[in-house]
């Protein structure tokens, strides 16, 4: 039998520790795969300057693959995490978010409630990063009001911490002959709606079927559609800090809906 081909991801331009962070996330998510969780890119080797993964043959996304992915993602989330904000197993430092050649530090500190975690380690963290670059000087109050509402627990629903990918935009889902395969995680203990909101932000293929299959496997909480923008606020703020442009104002407009 032929040995699977290897894809080498160059991480030499990333901060030290980035490749190990990503590897820890891949391994943690893959623990759920044996129980029917989402397929995760198989790790072959990790070093300071690279990550080696199995190279998958691409295939068209299909309705069947989307249905399978939605149900499998629900299983991955159900594998759980020790706490909201908890890092993946085998990881004890801060995480990273953003492009592999210039990722930003991302806190991953265990927190009792989702709202407190998302308020401090996601929204306020990015607000501070943006203000250090001169962003949101005039609009920081509206973003802070969102964080304050989160902190009160107004958006908490009592569900336990989920094992989430954490950066699940459409480009981090490979459609292959074995179905959808996850890559490039920023894995941590979080809310399952965060991953779904990311898939919606940049419109993954067959997104309606993915969410329908997820909802059938693990019914979503009432009003989840109204919270999509709340979960999307963090990645939009990340894009604003890294890329600037229209993302800066998009983040403000998104925040106003939840302030």
């Amino acid at each position: 039998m032929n040995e699977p081909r290897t894809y080498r991801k160059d991480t030499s331009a990333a901060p030290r520790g980035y490749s190990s962070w990503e590897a820890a996330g891949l391994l943690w998510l893959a623990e759920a795969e044996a129980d029917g969780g989402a397929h995760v890119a198989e790790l072959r080797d990790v070093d300071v300057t690279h990550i080696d993964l199995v190279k998958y043959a691409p295939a068209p996304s299909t309705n069947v693959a989307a249905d399978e992915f939605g149900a499998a993602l629900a299983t991955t989330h159900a594998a759980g995490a020790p706490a909201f904000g908890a890092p993946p197993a085998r990881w004890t430092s801060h995480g990273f978010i953003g492009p592999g050649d210039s990722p930003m530090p991302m806190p991953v500190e265990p927190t009792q409630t989702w709202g407190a975690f998302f308020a401090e380690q996601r929204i306020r963290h990015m607000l501070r990063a943006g203000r250090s670059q001169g962003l949101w000087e005039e609009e920081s109050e509206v973003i802070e009001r969102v964080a304050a509402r989160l902190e009160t627990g107004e958006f908490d629903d009592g569900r336990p911490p989920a094992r989430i990918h954490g950066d699940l935009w459409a480009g981090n889902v490979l459609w292959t002959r074995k179905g959808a395969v996850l890559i490039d995680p920023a894995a941590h203990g979080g809310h399952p709606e965060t991953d779904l909101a990311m898939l919606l932000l940049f419109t993954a293929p067959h997104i309606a079927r993915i969410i329908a299959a997820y909802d059938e496997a693990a019914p979503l909480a009432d009003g989840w559609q109204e919270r999509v923008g709340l979960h999307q606020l963090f990645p939009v703020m990340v894009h604003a800090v890294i890329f600037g442009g229209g993302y800066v104002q998009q983040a403000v407009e998104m925040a106003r809906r939840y302030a």
Side-chain angles (χ1 to χ4, degrees), residues 63-241:
N63 289 339
V64 170
D67 293 344
E68 291 174 348
F69 174 49
L73 183 61
T75 299
T76 297
H77 288 167
F84 295 105
R90 311 170 188 86
W91 190 255
T92 57
S93 184
H94 65 75
F96 296 95
I97 192 77
D101 58 348
S102 57
M104 300 177 60
M106 182 181 75
V108 277
E109 299 172 7
T111 307
Q112 187 171 2
T113 66
W114 177 76
F117 152 70
F118 206 69
E120 183 60 32
Q121 298 184 47
R122 295 297 178 266
I123 304 306
R124 289 189 180 122
H125 174 67
M126 291 313 304
L127 179 58
R128 289 189 290 268
R131 294 194 68 182
S132 71
Q133 297 183 16
L135 305 181
W136 302 311
E137 293 293 343
E138 302 293 327
E139 301 91 350
S140 61
E141 184 180 345
V142 70
I143 297 174
E144 175 55 41
R145 288 202 302 269
V146 179
R149 286 187 71 188
L150 282 159
E151 208 163 40
T152 66
E154 183 176 347
F155 298 101
D156 289 329
D157 57 15
R159 297 193 177 203
R163 185 171 306 200
I164 71 171
H165 178 283
D167 191 15
L168 197 57
W169 72 286
N172 284 342
V173 181
L174 300 180
W175 297 96
T176 77
R177 292 175 183 171
K178 69 182 295 184
V181 175
L182 304 183
I183 61 169
D184 297 353
H188 61 278
H191 198 295
E193 290 177 10
T194 297
D195 274 351
L196 297 179
M198 279 292 290
L199 287 169
L200 283 160
L201 183 58
F202 297 107
T203 316
H206 307 284
I207 184 60
R209 295 191 70 102
I210 293 170
I211 292 177
Y214 185 105
D215 189 37
E216 184 176 352
L220 292 161
D222 290 343
W224 71 269
Q225 296 97 329
E226 285 73 42
R227 293 185 294 274
V228 167
L230 180 65
H231 290 271
Q232 290 175 342
L233 180 56
F234 168 65
V236 170
M237 291 178 75
V238 171
H239 277 68
V241 172

Side-chain angles (χ1 to χ4, degrees), residues 22-23 25-33 37-43 53-54 56 76 165 178 180-185:
E22 184 171 313
L26 290 167
L27 292 171
W28 191 53
L29 293 172
E31 289 175 2
E33 191 171 350
H39 298 305
V40 181
E42 183 181 339
L43 183 67
L53 305 168
V54 166
Y56 296 90
T76 297
H165 178 283
K178 69 182 295 184
V181 175
L182 304 183
I183 61 169
D184 297 353

